[in-house]
Amino acid sequence: MITPIDALSLEASIVRNGAPTLTGAMPANLFTFPGRFAASTPCTAVSATEVRENRAALHDAARVCATCLEHSGIRLSVLVWRGCGALLFLYRPDALERIFSIPEVHHAFETAGYPSGDLDGCLDSLAERMAARGPCAVSARHAATAVPSPQHPQRTAFPHEVGYLLGYPVADVAGFINHAGKNCLVSGPWKVYQDRNRALALFERIRANTARCRQRYRRGAPSRAHRTQKPAARRTRRNGKDQL
């Protein structure tokens, strides 16, 4: 299936994957927009020219969508370019600042080597850590369209501290790390290690808000992203579903 790299397609992906952030149920969402955004990797054979054009097209689309989201206090950032899709972060800065003020969270990020008290710096570091998980990715936080070959070695551990930024309860993120993802009380949008009933209520709130958001989008009028989208758009093949 071919997916256009344009503002309308990105907008639809934001609604599908970022409804919890759009509705305020969660402070952030991390999701993949499909496409070939990395060159000369084991993931895919693609020319540097195509990669550069795809990155430029997604940056253009992201700027359009980011402008539409500004009035809601929501930001959109491309974190990582990958051969099988770009990793995007949709977030509410004010909510993340409050999360960073939680002593346990502050300590966790400081211990992991993130810059203290600097949201943008933390996202830069997170992008580097996400990109370093394998040979098919490169951070997108510093170079918009440059196409360096990924040089970093493969990491053996996922940066699970991202769970704090996604709004997962502190005890559940710590529990996941301490138990290596095993022995949870219940599993949903995240794995729960404490206060099962509260988590189930949050899961239902997220589900209901997501369903309402998607329904309103399907029934809504054309968005500003649609009205400002240029007629021509880069296209790329979908390599899989939009997912984390």
Side-chain angles (χ1 to χ4, degrees):
M1 180 179 178
I2 296 176
T3 299
I5 304 177
D6 58 24
L8 187 58
S9 294
L10 179 56
E11 180 185 74
S13 186
I14 289 171
V15 173
R16 282 196 304 273
N17 299 284
T21 299
L22 296 176
T23 60
M26 302 295 286
N29 284 107
L30 190 66
F31 66 96
T32 293
F33 186 85
R36 297 176 176 178
F37 298 101
S40 302
T41 73
C43 291
T44 183
V46 57
S47 71
T49 298
E50 182 180 352
V51 166
R52 189 176 295 108
E53 291 175 349
N54 285 348
R55 292 183 184 183
L58 185 56
H59 265 296
D60 287 344
R63 278 192 290 269
V64 172
C65 291
T67 298
C68 295
L69 292 167
E70 281 179 349
H71 72 284
S72 299
I74 298 173
R75 293 182 187 174
L76 177 67
S77 177
V78 183
L79 289 187
V80 181
W81 300 121
R82 299 182 297 185
C84 53
L87 192 63
L88 281 80
F89 191 58
L90 184 74
Y91 63 104
R92 293 178 176 271
D94 291 346
L96 293 190
E97 294 289 359
R98 289 193 294 272
I99 289 173
F100 276 124
S101 70
I102 299 172
E104 297 90 339
V105 175
H106 179 82
H107 176 72
F109 275 89
E110 190 172 57
T111 301
Y114 287 80
S116 179
D118 180 2
L119 177 56
D120 284 336
C122 282
L123 293 184
D124 290 344
S125 183
L126 177 63
E128 292 290 344
R129 293 165 192 241
M130 288 285 191
R133 293 190 62 238
C136 304
V138 63
S139 171
R141 290 281 294 180
H142 297 298
T145 57
V147 189
S149 297
Q151 300 292 329
H152 35 64
Q154 185 169 355
R155 284 173 56 93
T156 57
F158 182 87
H160 293 295
E161 58 273 8
V162 70
Y164 295 116
L165 301 185
L166 297 176
Y168 303 165
V170 171
D172 292 338
V173 178
F176 184 94
I177 294 172
N178 293 335
H179 292 275
K182 301 177 180 179
N183 306 319
C184 65
L185 299 177
V186 65
S187 180
W190 63 87
K191 290 188 176 181
V192 178
Y193 289 85
Q194 185 173 303
D195 203 339
R196 180 179 184 274
N197 291 336
R198 176 174 177 270
L200 291 176
L202 286 173
F203 290 172
E204 175 56 25
R205 180 190 174 198
I206 291 170
R207 185 204 64 76
N209 283 12
T210 296
R212 283 195 295 270
C213 183
R214 292 176 178 176
Q215 184 179 57
R216 289 177 62 187
Y217 180 73
R218 287 194 298 268
R219 294 179 177 178
S223 68
R224 280 180 288 176
H226 176 71
R227 293 196 297 268
T228 59
Q229 177 59 39
K230 298 178 181 179
R234 292 288 303 167
R235 300 181 75 85
T236 184
R237 289 192 175 278
R238 183 188 297 270
N239 291 300
K241 296 179 180 179
D242 286 355
Q243 57 188 4
L244 290 185

